Amino acid sequence: GESVGLHLPTLSVQEGDNSIINCAYSNSASDYFIWYKQESGKGPQFIIDIRSNMDKRQGQRVTVLLNKTVKHLSLQIAATQPGDSAVYFCAVAGYSTLTFGKGTMLLVSP
Amino acid sequence: NAGVTQTPKFQVLKTGQSMTLQCAQDMNHNSMYWYRQDPGMGLRLIYYSASEGTTDKGEVPNGYNVSRLNKREFSLRLESAAPSQTSVYFCASSSMDGNYGYTFGSGTRLTVV
């Protein structure tokens, strides 16, 4: 089955910096990827997704990059704000379900 | 507001007791899921229902049962709770067999003593 890993359990940044959160997946046939944000005490919230026919997709202050050659995706957050403090998960679509990584906690200090 | 509603939000059980976690969605989604979240373990799939009338095991189904009552509702039952089932449980739904973003509920924090 699919396995999904993240490189860093915690990332600390200063307010205004750009943040980059990474994720690696195992199945080269995977074709749909999602990033979620989970604030303390809440359920995960959809941030942005990307399909394997793209290598970059942009949203509001967020960009997802997909490198299928090395099976790696990243989430970039521009001008990180205190409200961005949360746990970020990548998820990879399988046949009927998503497989989630263990998450990276983003800590933003003023 | 449209979304996924879970009840209860908090529950404390004694070992051996049973309970049912309720989940309902009002987005007309076909697929529904139950995950548990433990520190350092991420989200692990317990059971899912790809469509009304079907259920399938996920990664960690032991000790749980599910019922897809109708298109809106998907319940998770613990027949004999164990301390290892202390966790935060999330229900989610999606429009098409998991290939689209899930919408999550706000979770049920369960403690088994």
Side-chain angles (χ1 to χ4, degrees):
Chain A
E2 177 74 75
S3 68
V4 180
L6 278 171
H7 299 299
L8 275 180
T10 305
L11 176 65
S12 296
V13 301
Q14 296 277 91
E15 182 177 357
D17 285 352
N18 295 331
S19 303
I20 300 175
I21 301 171
N22 296 304
C23 184
Y25 61 96
S26 64
N27 187 351
S28 57
S30 298
D31 65 356
Y32 182 61
F33 308 87
I34 309 172
W35 282 99
Y36 286 88
K37 172 185 181 183
Q38 186 179 24
E39 295 174 298
S40 180
K42 297 183 179 180
Q45 275 188 298
F46 174 95
I47 304 173
I48 190 168
D49 60 1
I50 189 168
R51 294 202 174 271
S52 59
N53 59 353
M54 304 172 70
D55 53 21
K56 180 179 180 179
R57 190 167 187 214
Q58 290 184 288
Q60 188 175 13
R61 284 200 305 117
V62 295
T63 300
V64 55
L65 299 177
L66 176 62
N67 185 329
K68 295 180 288 294
T69 302
V70 296
K71 292 181 284 187
H72 180 274
L73 71 159
S74 65
L75 177 71
Q76 299 179 358
I77 304 174
T80 311
Q81 302 168 0
D84 295 326
S85 292
V87 178
Y88 290 81
F89 295 93
C90 67
V92 180
Y95 176 68
S96 295
T97 64
L98 295 178
T99 300
F100 288 82
K102 290 182 169 50
T104 289
M105 178 176 289
L106 178 64
L107 301 172
V108 183
S109 52
Chain B
N1 289 338
V4 178
T5 302
Q6 290 184 238
T7 56
K9 292 192 184 303
F10 301 94
Q11 184 72 47
V12 178
L13 287 179
K14 293 182 178 178
T15 297
Q17 285 185 319
S18 62
M19 80 160 295
T20 300
L21 281 64
Q22 307 286 353
C23 175
Q25 54 91 9
D26 58 6
M27 296 169 285
N28 202 36
H29 283 169
N30 292 318
S31 302
M32 298 185 73
Y33 313 84
W34 277 104
Y35 283 86
R36 61 177 288 173
Q37 185 174 38
D38 302 294
M41 300 295 290
L43 289 155
R44 292 184 292 169
L45 182 65
I46 305 171
Y47 271 94
Y48 68 100
S49 171
S51 61
E52 187 179 355
T54 69
T55 61
D56 286 285
K57 294 178 180 179
E59 180 185 355
V60 289
N62 291 344
Y64 306 94
N65 285 301
V66 290
S67 295
R68 183 75 183 266
L69 303 170
N70 47 56
K71 192 170 185 179
R72 290 186 64 247
E73 298 172 288
F74 189 40
S75 62
L76 178 71
R77 183 159 178 86
L78 288 70
E79 290 291 350
S80 179
S84 61
Q85 294 178 303
T86 293
S87 188
V88 181
Y89 292 85
F90 287 100
C91 178
S93 68
S94 70
S95 56
M96 286 181 62
D97 293 330
N99 257 357
Y100 289 84
Y102 291 4
T103 300
F104 282 86
S106 56
T108 295
R109 185 173 293 274
L110 176 67
T111 302
V112 183
V113 298

